[in-house]
Amino acid sequence: MAVPIRTAVAALCAGLAATLFITVPARADQDAGSHVQVWAVSGPERAAAAHEPRARVSLDDTTGTLSLSVSHGGRTVIEPSPVGIVTQQADLSQDLRFLHRKDRLVDERYRSKSGKRLERRVLMNETRLSFATAAGARLDLVVRASADGIAYRYVLPAGYGGVLGEASAFNLPPDASAWLSTYRADNEGQFAQHTAATAPTGEYSDQALFATGGGYTLLAESDLTGTYSGARLAHDQGTGTYRIKLADPTVHTDGPLATPWRAMVTGDLATVTRSTFTDDLAPASKVADTSWIRPGTVLWTWLAGGKEAGQSLAAQKAYVDYAAERHWPYEAVDAGWYFKTDEWDTTDPNWQTNSWMPELVEYARAKGVGIIVWIHQRDLDTPEERAQWLPTLERWGVKGVKIDFMDSEAQSMLQWYDTILQETAAHHLMVNFHGSTVPKGIQRTWPQVMTLEGVAGEEKRTNTAAHLTTLPFTRNIIGSMDFTPGAFQRVGLRPNSDAAEVGLTVAYESGLQMFAGTPESYDARPLARDYFDQVPAAWDDTRLLAGRPGREAVLARRSGDRWFLGGVYAGTAHTAEVPLTIGSGRWLVETIRDGAEGLVQDRQVLRGGDSLSVDVVDNGGFAGIACPWRPGVTTCSR
């Protein structure tokens, strides 16, 4: 049957419109007098385009090499940097020719169980640039741009064999200030300040912060799974170049491959600190029912009593009693509570344990306290061990596991992560990873992951005040961080004051905020203890009130109508002036600071936008709560 002309024309127009929406002309913009094709990618917020990051991808027609640069507000953030990947069957870092471009809008909403805020909005422009070599090998470069970052990844069809390495690198202005952590497999290096060029030759963790283009840029990674290998930054002193180096000499693939995102969180310091960019890039949650996942504060007993406490039911019951008295929702039992032996009867429900854990869990449950248990990764590294441990812990009623000593970002260990994430979700066990990788989007995809270590935390005896004031702008930006604050008993082993230690519980975000002190140390500091009674572990919003990496970090986090304040400082005693940018109206502000005889509480009524003045001691800090003020309101406590 003949098709009417008007119908055919309408169909043709619709088809052309759809094509124009997803495909741009095959030829990109070309710099005058050069052999370079250029594609620009910016975020979808057109009204604020001048203030958003913008990526520029270039192809040199002479060499067939790709580069990517990033600007923000018209100023260079990342200088043109090499892009490409090399596999066993094809070198996709050179001799490339452009095929086509497709664009799409990424517009998503999701709810997190923990982090800087619970409600999230993802709004990004995505551009997919397709290239091929003369031999027909294909490479897609996928670039995403949002209001707070630029990211790219490689997508390859099947048949190219293992990945031998990436050409990916980041070229920073040589004089850019840099806050870097020397790479360790457990990600527990100290952050120290350099310039991009003067940093010593070596390898650094990929969460590296640079002051560039009038703002800041944090390098990061997202959507890292066992299909690939973890990345670190390799640097040669004297240059501003930081190259991607993979943990494995060969990444094994058995089909099409999408590499992790190479992310650049960029903007002013407040934007970077508040960003959830690495979570936003990650796949959606794979856990359908998340009602059992409940963030909270935890009485953690390792630094309070060590292994001996872990071996004692009486000691653990006493800790449960204290947590119940304080209405802290969890108590964590660390190493020493179980042992392995081939003589155990694995049909016994108490196998692999010194038998008192089920009794402790029931004792705690009756008092409204959940139990979290430590377990070594080597005891979960086979299917048989996992099939014995995880159902048993679920049957006992254990709420979560603290899994320790992975100490690797090699592909084989990442494949183990993939498995344990599926199985802990199936057995309704929240997870705290120690001796681990860092979040890299894992908390969006697997929301039972409440926190990860991957930080030189409270256990370290070499931390500096500068390190503590850098963490909110580096490691903690990309996800929950189990620093374990509150270890008041470690006087002389930590570089900060008591008030700063209280402030860390807000300055540092963690879905399970583990308090590392002793009950005696809390009772000796009732202001700190009462503050811990109120501090949440999940937040409705987060704002940076004041900050300079390595010098000061003051964060405000909202729960309901109350803002909790945490400030940490490095340097000499002074009066800190903090803009109270938490909203209009009048606020009753209660602060805890260091006094001559211990902690002191102050109360004052301020308007939103006023300056909050707090006396800070050497390497000190403060904690606080701000609640809406009205006549008759005299305290923020509930």
Side-chain angles (χ1 to χ4, degrees):
M1 182 175 65
V3 178
I5 293 176
R6 283 184 297 179
T7 303
V9 170
L12 177 60
C13 290
L16 287 172
T19 301
L20 288 172
F21 178 73
I22 63 171
T23 307
V24 300
R27 192 70 176 172
D29 295 335
Q30 193 149 9
D31 289 349
S34 74
H35 300 282
V36 178
Q37 299 181 65
V38 179
W39 300 268
V41 186
S42 58
E45 298 286 353
R46 300 298 182 190
H51 304 290
E52 287 189 352
R54 181 182 179 91
R56 176 184 168 102
V57 179
S58 302
L59 174 67
D60 187 319
D61 288 337
T62 303
T63 61
T65 56
L66 288 167
S67 65
L68 182 143
S69 62
V70 177
S71 62
H72 188 276
R75 303 179 65 177
T76 297
V77 172
I78 302 290
E79 297 175 346
S81 304
V83 172
I85 189 168
V86 179
T87 74
Q88 291 174 320
Q89 301 299 324
D91 183 350
L92 297 166
S93 67
Q94 59 183 343
D95 298 325
L96 297 171
R97 58 185 177 85
F98 176 63
L99 298 178
H100 55 78
R101 167 180 177 167
K102 293 183 179 180
D103 296 297
R104 73 181 184 103
L105 177 68
V106 179
D107 188 351
E108 302 168 346
R109 294 183 185 272
Y110 67 98
R111 182 174 175 83
S112 176
K113 299 298 290 191
S114 59
K116 301 170 192 177
R117 56 188 173 277
L118 300 181
E119 298 295 337
R120 309 283 182 90
R121 172 78 183 278
V122 181
L123 196 61
M124 305 180 187
N125 277 338
E126 179 183 284
T127 292
R128 180 183 290 251
L129 300 170
S130 296
F131 303 90
T133 66
R138 288 284 301 274
L139 169 69
D140 283 2
L141 176 67
V142 183
V143 183
R144 285 189 179 179
S146 76
D148 55 352
I150 299 290
Y152 69 88
R153 75 189 321 172
Y154 308 114
V155 178
L156 283 67
Y160 291 132
V163 173
L164 301 179
E166 295 185 20
S168 316
F170 303 94
N171 289 332
L172 283 303
D175 59 351
S177 295
W179 292 268
L180 305 170
S181 171
T182 300
Y183 181 79
R184 292 171 38 142
D186 58 8
N187 290 288
E188 294 179 23
Q190 292 276 319
F191 279 93
Q193 184 174 353
H194 308 275
T195 67
T198 60
T201 296
E203 296 179 358
Y204 296 94
S205 294
D206 61 349
Q207 61 270 21
L209 180 71
F210 299 88
T212 61
Y216 290 82
T217 297
L218 180 77
L219 304 183
E221 186 175 25
S222 182
D223 194 16
L224 174 65
T225 70
T227 63
Y228 209 66
S229 180
R232 64 198 72 166
L233 300 173
H235 170 67
D236 294 321
Q237 191 173 38
T239 76
T241 299
Y242 289 78
R243 306 182 308 279
I244 290 293
K245 180 177 179 180
L246 302 179
D248 296 283
T250 303
V251 178
H252 300 285
T253 62
D254 57 5
L257 174 68
T259 68
W261 293 100
R262 303 280 163 243
M264 294 148 278
V265 186
T266 190
D268 59 27
L269 196 58
T271 298
V272 172
T273 305
R274 191 173 185 268
S275 174
T276 59
F277 189 55
T278 53
D279 280 348
D280 297 343
L281 289 165
S285 173
K286 295 185 178 181
V287 183
D289 175 18
T290 61
S291 60
W292 54 275
I293 303 171
R294 299 176 182 175
T297 52
V298 188
L299 176 60
W300 177 54
T301 59
W302 182 256
L303 293 184
K307 188 172 182 178
E308 291 73 20
Q311 294 172 335
S312 168
L313 175 60
Q316 292 301 327
K317 283 186 173 181
Y319 287 130
V320 165
D321 290 343
Y322 192 82
E325 177 187 352
R326 306 255 43 96
H327 301 288
W328 298 351
Y330 299 107
E331 193 256 342
V333 185
D334 215 282
W337 72 269
Y338 75 91
F339 59 90
K340 291 190 68 176
T341 171
D342 294 336
E343 297 177 359
W344 273 96
D345 176 8
T346 56
T347 62
D348 183 337
N350 296 332
W351 79 279
Q352 267 194 343
T353 177
N354 49 11
S355 78
W356 54 255
M357 183 56 70
E359 180 181 346
L360 178 69
V361 173
E362 179 57 28
Y363 180 85
R365 186 200 62 76
K367 291 176 174 285
V369 175
I371 295 296
I372 295 165
V373 299
W374 179 95
I375 189 167
H376 201 295
Q377 187 273 338
R378 70 187 173 210
D379 296 328
L380 294 171
D381 63 354
T382 68
E384 294 77 16
E385 288 172 324
R386 292 190 296 273
Q388 292 170 334
W389 269 115
L390 300 180
T392 300
L393 295 175
E394 181 184 24
R395 184 173 64 251
W396 288 346
V398 167
K399 299 301 182 183
V401 286
K402 174 182 175 181
I403 307 175
D404 208 344
F405 294 115
M406 282 66 72
D407 292 337
S408 171
E409 292 179 314
Q411 186 177 22
S412 58
M413 183 58 73
L414 295 175
Q415 290 169 344
W416 174 87
Y417 275 103
D418 293 344
T419 299
I420 201 69
L421 288 165
Q422 293 177 13
E423 296 186 2
T424 51
H427 291 289
H428 303 98
L429 293 168
M430 295 185 293
V431 180
N432 173 0
F433 286 121
H434 264 236
S436 65
T437 184
V438 293
K440 301 185 180 183
I442 194 174
Q443 290 182 276
R444 180 183 182 187
T445 309
W446 298 102
Q448 83 273 20
V449 179
M450 306 309 296
T451 192
L452 300 89
E453 189 181 28
V455 66
E458 193 76 85
E459 292 179 271
K460 301 300 181 196
R461 301 190 178 197
T462 56
N463 283 345
T464 65
H467 171 69
L468 301 189
T469 58
T470 302
L471 289 175
F473 310 116
T474 50
R475 164 63 182 85
N476 210 189
I477 284 179
I478 61 173
S480 292
M481 178 177 76
D482 192 23
F483 183 90
T484 68
F488 297 111
Q489 75 278 12
R490 291 172 67 84
V491 175
L493 299 179
R494 53 182 173 86
N496 58 345
S497 71
D498 279 359
E501 196 69 15
V502 182
L504 290 182
T505 62
V506 175
Y508 297 165
E509 183 276 320
S510 181
L512 289 175
Q513 187 65 282
M514 296 211 177
F515 301 148
T518 64
E520 294 77 14
S521 70
Y522 301 136
D523 291 341
R525 298 164 178 83
L527 287 175
R529 180 196 63 199
D530 295 347
Y531 189 83
F532 288 0
D533 291 350
Q534 300 185 69
V535 69
W539 304 102
D540 295 312
D541 198 4
T542 292
R543 295 183 185 178
L544 177 68
L545 302 186
R548 287 178 294 168
R551 298 291 301 278
E552 66 173 342
V554 183
L555 284 92
R557 303 189 194 271
R558 181 174 63 82
S559 176
D561 63 354
R562 296 193 298 172
W563 287 90
F564 288 75
L565 315 177
V568 291
Y569 296 83
T572 57
H574 66 287
T575 298
E577 300 291 341
V578 179
L580 196 66
T581 51
I582 57 174
S584 61
R586 290 189 175 186
W587 298 88
L588 174 62
V589 184
E590 298 176 339
T591 53
I592 298 172
R593 59 178 174 85
D594 296 290
E597 303 298 326
L599 296 175
V600 176
Q601 185 177 64
D602 300 312
R603 288 189 176 93
Q604 54 187 310
V605 176
L606 297 173
R607 290 187 179 275
D610 285 353
S611 181
L612 171 66
S613 298
V614 184
D615 290 335
V616 175
V617 301
D618 291 354
N619 295 332
F622 71 93
I625 305 177
C627 58
W629 179 86
R630 61 183 183 277
V633 174
T634 59
T635 180
C636 289
S637 298
R638 294 177 181 172

